[in-house]
Amino acid sequence: MSAASVFLIDGSKGLRMAADVKAKRAAFRKLHDAGCFVLPNPWDIGSVRRLERLGFAALATTSSGFAWAMGREDGEMSRDEVLGHMREICEATDLPVNADFEAGFADTAKDVGRNVALAVKTGVAGLSIEDRVGAELYDLELACERIRAAREAIDASGEDVLLVGRSEGFLVGRTELSATIERLVAYAEAGADCLYAPGIREASDIAAVVSAVAPKPVNALLLAGMRVADLAAAGARRVSVGGGLAAAAWAGFDRAARQLINEGTVPPRG
């Protein structure tokens, strides 16, 4: 059964839904051919709709944003909860969606492949697999096996889902650029379509990553103080914000709540 077939129901509506999923996936891959696009990260249907109205070409889920919306911390959501969230986001928008699939919700390559097969069925146009468990990175050989298993699962589905190989070294204090590049190059060779190392702040380091994995595209994470234009100039093909928008929304909520406590008023609606 193909991934798109999970959307098939009796009648033409189901056929249109399957066709729409394929169209989203084709459009998403096309975005990676040239230039640089911004990939904002909504965390619920409301934020999806707002970003869609603003004219973005694609969206990406955020594990932290989703967890915070559910009153939990990043990494505390279960596989099935995340799969349900991915499906909900995909069905809420006409835009292609890239999924933050964390570390694949498994350690072994076999189980990662099984979970990626389930993720494809949610309608995502792309998904990322991290190389971190807790505060540690997987051994490089195992990390590559996990990427290969994800690649094989996508290929077996017959669906055009873009695989992102993601290395977390800069987020766990392992900030030696050469080590991160070694991992990203290995993930590209293992079958990743796009490479991503969140936490890199210097445009020159992004440029080094771009050069090392070329011609495959690179995702860069936009952090406070960084500019999309600088990341684009460094060669990043896409720029995401992770939990940045969700964090900003919750910060605004906290300010308004404190104003309500301290002043007995609320800020004007924007």
Side-chain angles (χ1 to χ4, degrees), residues 141-155:
E141 182 177 353
L142 175 57
C144 289
E145 290 175 1
R146 288 158 45 82
I147 293 294
R148 281 192 290 270
R151 174 80 273 155
E152 291 168 3
I154 292 171
D155 291 346

Side-chain angles (χ1 to χ4, degrees), residues 24 40-56 58-62 85-97 245:
K24 288 182 186 181
N41 302 73
W43 59 94
D44 61 11
I45 292 176
S47 54
V48 164
R49 298 278 166 76
R50 286 172 176 264
L51 292 170
E52 191 174 45
R53 287 198 297 269
L54 288 170
F56 289 99
L59 305 173
T61 66
T62 160
H85 175 65
M86 289 159 56
R87 182 175 293 105
E88 179 182 61
I89 296 299
C90 289
E91 292 178 354
T93 180
D94 292 330
L95 299 179
V97 175
L245 292 177

Side-chain angles (χ1 to χ4, degrees), residues 147-182:
I147 293 294
R148 281 192 290 270
R151 174 80 273 155
E152 291 168 3
I154 292 171
D155 291 346
S157 76
E159 298 300 324
D160 187 20
V161 174
L162 190 135
L163 175 61
V164 182
R166 174 169 163 164
S167 186
E168 302 281 286
F170 273 72
L171 298 184
V172 297
R174 297 174 63 171
T175 56
E176 183 181 357
L177 183 63
S178 60
T180 292
I181 287 176
E182 178 186 16

Side-chain angles (χ1 to χ4, degrees), residues 127-129 147 163-167 184 187 192-197:
L127 62 87
S128 61
I129 296 293
I147 293 294
L163 175 61
V164 182
R166 174 169 163 164
S167 186
L184 294 178
Y187 301 161
D193 298 301
C194 179
L195 291 310
Y196 180 24

Side-chain angles (χ1 to χ4, degrees), residues 26-155:
F28 191 56
R29 188 169 290 274
K30 183 71 173 176
L31 285 172
H32 294 76
D33 287 349
C36 179
F37 67 98
V38 177
L39 189 62
N41 302 73
W43 59 94
D44 61 11
I45 292 176
S47 54
V48 164
R49 298 278 166 76
R50 286 172 176 264
L51 292 170
E52 191 174 45
R53 287 198 297 269
L54 288 170
F56 289 99
L59 305 173
T61 66
T62 160
S63 62
S64 57
F66 176 45
W68 296 336
M70 301 304 293
R72 301 187 218 170
E73 294 301 320
D74 193 10
E76 293 182 354
M77 305 303 295
S78 72
R79 182 200 69 179
D80 289 348
E81 287 173 322
V82 170
L83 288 171
H85 175 65
M86 289 159 56
R87 182 175 293 105
E88 179 182 61
I89 296 299
C90 289
E91 292 178 354
T93 180
D94 292 330
L95 299 179
V97 175
N98 190 95
D100 178 351
F101 202 49
E102 303 182 44
F105 299 90
D107 292 319
T108 69
K110 179 180 179 180
D111 287 341
V112 168
R114 182 190 63 193
N115 291 340
V116 166
L118 295 174
V120 169
K121 294 178 181 179
T122 67
V124 294
L127 62 87
S128 61
I129 296 293
E130 301 171 4
D131 60 1
R132 172 169 59 144
V133 55
E136 298 295 328
L137 300 181
Y138 286 104
D139 173 80
L140 181 55
E141 182 177 353
L142 175 57
C144 289
E145 290 175 1
R146 288 158 45 82
I147 293 294
R148 281 192 290 270
R151 174 80 273 155
E152 291 168 3
I154 292 171
D155 291 346

